[in-house]
PDB file of all heavy atoms in Angstrom:
ATOM      1  N   PHE A  55       5.892   7.846 -11.722  1.00  0.00           N
ATOM      2  CA  PHE A  55       6.823   6.751 -11.477  1.00  0.00           C
ATOM      3  C   PHE A  55       7.827   7.067 -10.376  1.00  0.00           C
ATOM      4  O   PHE A  55       8.270   6.167  -9.652  1.00  0.00           O
ATOM      5  CB  PHE A  55       7.542   6.333 -12.772  1.00  0.00           C
ATOM      6  CG  PHE A  55       8.731   7.171 -13.117  1.00  0.00           C
ATOM      7  CD1 PHE A  55      10.003   6.751 -12.761  1.00  0.00           C
ATOM      8  CD2 PHE A  55       8.602   8.367 -13.802  1.00  0.00           C
ATOM      9  CE1 PHE A  55      11.114   7.514 -13.079  1.00  0.00           C
ATOM     10  CE2 PHE A  55       9.697   9.137 -14.122  1.00  0.00           C
ATOM     11  CZ  PHE A  55      10.965   8.713 -13.757  1.00  0.00           C
ATOM     12  N   ILE A  69       9.913  -2.599   5.965  1.00  0.00           N
ATOM     13  CA  ILE A  69       9.793  -4.056   6.140  1.00  0.00           C
ATOM     14  C   ILE A  69      11.097  -4.639   6.672  1.00  0.00           C
ATOM     15  O   ILE A  69      11.083  -5.480   7.580  1.00  0.00           O
ATOM     16  CB  ILE A  69       9.399  -4.736   4.807  1.00  0.00           C
ATOM     17  CG1 ILE A  69       7.977  -4.327   4.403  1.00  0.00           C
ATOM     18  CG2 ILE A  69       9.528  -6.247   4.890  1.00  0.00           C
ATOM     19  CD1 ILE A  69       6.893  -4.732   5.385  1.00  0.00           C
ATOM     20  N   LYS A 104      -5.662 -31.845  11.461  1.00  0.00           N
ATOM     21  CA  LYS A 104      -5.225 -32.201  12.814  1.00  0.00           C
ATOM     22  C   LYS A 104      -6.425 -32.320  13.755  1.00  0.00           C
ATOM     23  O   LYS A 104      -6.534 -33.274  14.535  1.00  0.00           O
ATOM     24  CB  LYS A 104      -4.244 -31.150  13.335  1.00  0.00           C
ATOM     25  CG  LYS A 104      -3.515 -31.559  14.603  1.00  0.00           C
ATOM     26  CD  LYS A 104      -2.606 -30.448  15.131  1.00  0.00           C
ATOM     27  CE  LYS A 104      -1.577 -30.054  14.120  1.00  0.00           C
ATOM     28  NZ  LYS A 104      -0.709 -28.950  14.559  1.00  0.00           N
ATOM     29  N   ILE A 159     -11.377  10.304 -18.861  1.00  0.00           N
ATOM     30  CA  ILE A 159     -12.141   9.389 -19.713  1.00  0.00           C
ATOM     31  C   ILE A 159     -11.925   9.809 -21.158  1.00  0.00           C
ATOM     32  O   ILE A 159     -12.145  10.971 -21.509  1.00  0.00           O
ATOM     33  CB  ILE A 159     -13.641   9.430 -19.372  1.00  0.00           C
ATOM     34  CG1 ILE A 159     -13.843   9.050 -17.914  1.00  0.00           C
ATOM     35  CG2 ILE A 159     -14.432   8.513 -20.296  1.00  0.00           C
ATOM     36  CD1 ILE A 159     -15.260   9.198 -17.417  1.00  0.00           C
ATOM     37  N   ILE A 161      -9.295  10.467 -22.867  1.00  0.00           N
ATOM     38  CA  ILE A 161      -8.336  11.563 -22.964  1.00  0.00           C
ATOM     39  C   ILE A 161      -8.966  12.923 -22.637  1.00  0.00           C
ATOM     40  O   ILE A 161      -8.494  13.965 -23.011  1.00  0.00           O
ATOM     41  CB  ILE A 161      -7.655  11.616 -24.363  1.00  0.00           C
ATOM     42  CG1 ILE A 161      -7.233  10.233 -24.821  1.00  0.00           C
ATOM     43  CG2 ILE A 161      -6.442  12.546 -24.356  1.00  0.00           C
ATOM     44  CD1 ILE A 161      -6.253   9.521 -23.914  1.00  0.00           C
TER      45      ILE A 161
END
Side-chain angles (χ1 to χ4, degrees):
F55 83 96
I69 293 298
K104 192 183 301 178
I159 301 174
I161 315 300

